[in-house]
Amino acid sequence: MYGDRGVYRPGETAHLVALVRDAQNLAPTAGMPVVLKLSDPTGKVIRQQTAPINAAGVVTLDPTLAAFAST
């Protein structure tokens, strides 16, 4: 998983992309659900979402970080 930039500040929207592959480096079947979990610096899960993978094995997440988010 990676973002469009290295640092996000509280109150901003992060644009994240994950590239999913199996042990043979192949993309899963399109539409397969993936559970995405976003955690804060202490390891607490602050957002969890299930999203389908596209045909290329890519899934995205665009969370808005709370104004009081830990840095």
Side-chain angles (χ1 to χ4, degrees):
M1 181 170 265
Y2 60 92
D4 62 338
R5 58 183 221 235
V7 176
Y8 297 98
R9 293 175 182 84
E12 294 183 332
T13 299
H15 304 286
L16 307 173
V17 177
L19 184 63
V20 181
R21 296 290 183 260
D22 65 12
Q24 289 76 38
N25 203 29
L26 300 173
T29 305
M32 179 179 279
V34 174
V35 177
L36 304 165
K37 293 180 183 179
L38 184 62
S39 57
D40 69 9
T42 66
K44 178 183 174 189
V45 175
I46 57 173
R47 181 163 178 183
Q48 181 172 323
Q49 175 180 325
T50 301
I53 279 193
N54 70 15
V58 175
V59 64
T60 62
L61 178 66
D62 295 315
T64 298
L65 304 173
F68 55 85
S70 299
T71 57

